[in-house]
Amino acid sequence: MRILLVEDDSALADAVCSYLLAKAFVVDVASSLAEARGALLSVRYAAVLLDLHLGDGDGLSLLPQVRALREPPIVIVLTARDQVTDRIRGLDAGADDYLIKPYDPAELLARLRAVERRRSAGSSPVLHLGTLEIDLAQDRVRKDGNPVVLTQKEWALLRVMATRPERIHTRENLAAALYGFGDEADSNTLEVFISRLRRKLGKSHIQTLRGLGYRLSTSAGDEE
């Protein structure tokens, strides 16, 4: 999952980035509304973590642009404004959730997962596919009850597909979950990670739809 963190406090941005990177997220940081608007024009993000008190304006002014996107990302407002009227204003403006500073990054991640589940109409963070169990809350995969060891990149890729199983994910969407600005990747890197996931999870779980992308099948058999 690729996330845009809009935050002008560099120390806080570094702390949140470090936490999310350790959880296999890709994070781009924008320190101003202008940078955020530019990033949203060039990248499809799964989530935007939005500070409100920015040097060049109110973060809420970014929400119309976010909501106008073809597939609007999740938006969680992160702010020191703690009045009820502020929260109402933020939610009415289109934010999916609202978190008051200071906050624990673990709570931020839990709220992100909760919004993801609401959007995908899922009630549980645990997905069962035959003998495969994918726990999105614990960042854990089991096959036949045994842990499957994934690298951070492999988990990042699987998480995108598991959040919305049966949906077709384009190469561009999946690649965005692996690399941020400034990262360099070989054009065949995605296929390499897909191949490794199939080897670890079972070939039939990840389907290739030629010319369209990939999807995680909930009806696939355990092995081919």
Side-chain angles (χ1 to χ4, degrees):
M1 174 185 286
R2 190 163 176 176
I3 294 172
L4 178 62
L5 172 62
V6 187
E7 174 59 70
D8 62 355
D9 182 328
S10 58
L12 180 56
D14 289 345
V16 174
C17 271
S18 296
Y19 182 83
L20 294 175
L21 289 171
K23 297 292 183 181
F25 290 90
V26 172
V27 185
D28 296 323
V29 178
S31 60
S32 67
L33 285 171
E35 289 182 14
R37 290 192 173 102
L40 287 168
L41 290 175
S42 59
V43 176
R44 180 186 293 178
Y45 290 99
V48 175
L49 308 178
L50 180 62
D51 183 25
L52 297 187
H53 189 65
L54 298 162
D56 56 350
D58 189 327
L60 291 184
S61 66
L62 191 67
L63 286 177
Q65 180 182 348
V66 173
R67 293 303 166 207
L69 295 172
R70 183 180 178 185
E71 292 189 44
I74 292 167
V75 177
I76 297 181
V77 168
L78 309 173
T79 181
R81 300 176 188 172
D82 59 356
Q83 299 299 306
V84 172
T85 52
D86 292 323
R87 295 199 294 273
I88 292 173
R89 181 168 168 251
L91 294 170
D92 282 347
D96 294 287
D97 203 351
Y98 201 101
L99 192 56
I100 304 296
K101 295 180 180 179
Y103 57 86
D104 189 316
E107 182 183 0
L108 171 61
L109 188 51
R111 286 173 179 260
L112 189 57
R113 288 193 297 263
V115 176
E116 279 183 326
R117 289 199 299 276
R118 289 200 297 272
R119 284 196 170 192
S120 61
S123 59
S124 170
V126 182
L127 183 66
H128 295 277
L129 306 176
T131 58
L132 201 64
E133 178 186 287
I134 303 171
D135 189 333
L136 295 170
Q138 300 296 323
D139 298 349
R140 185 177 62 197
V141 182
R142 291 182 181 275
K143 185 178 180 181
D144 295 317
N146 300 312
V148 178
V149 178
L150 300 180
T151 66
Q152 282 204 336
K153 295 292 189 188
E154 291 165 356
W155 172 250
L157 195 57
L158 179 61
R159 178 169 51 208
V160 172
M161 289 189 283
T163 300
R164 294 189 178 183
E166 295 295 353
R167 172 180 173 162
I168 300 172
H169 298 272
T170 64
R171 293 187 80 264
E172 292 74 18
N173 184 31
L174 294 176
L178 298 177
Y179 300 101
F181 289 133
D183 294 332
E184 294 184 0
D186 183 89
S187 59
N188 294 320
T189 300
L190 179 63
E191 282 72 20
V192 171
F193 285 121
I194 290 286
S195 176
R196 290 175 181 171
L197 274 176
R198 282 182 170 138
R199 190 164 59 247
K200 293 182 178 181
L201 304 181
K203 295 179 180 177
S204 61
H205 287 302
I206 300 177
Q207 299 177 339
T208 301
L209 292 96
R210 193 171 300 279
L212 297 175
Y214 302 92
R215 73 178 170 196
L216 185 67
S217 173
T218 58
S219 58
D222 295 332
E223 291 289 350
E224 289 180 345

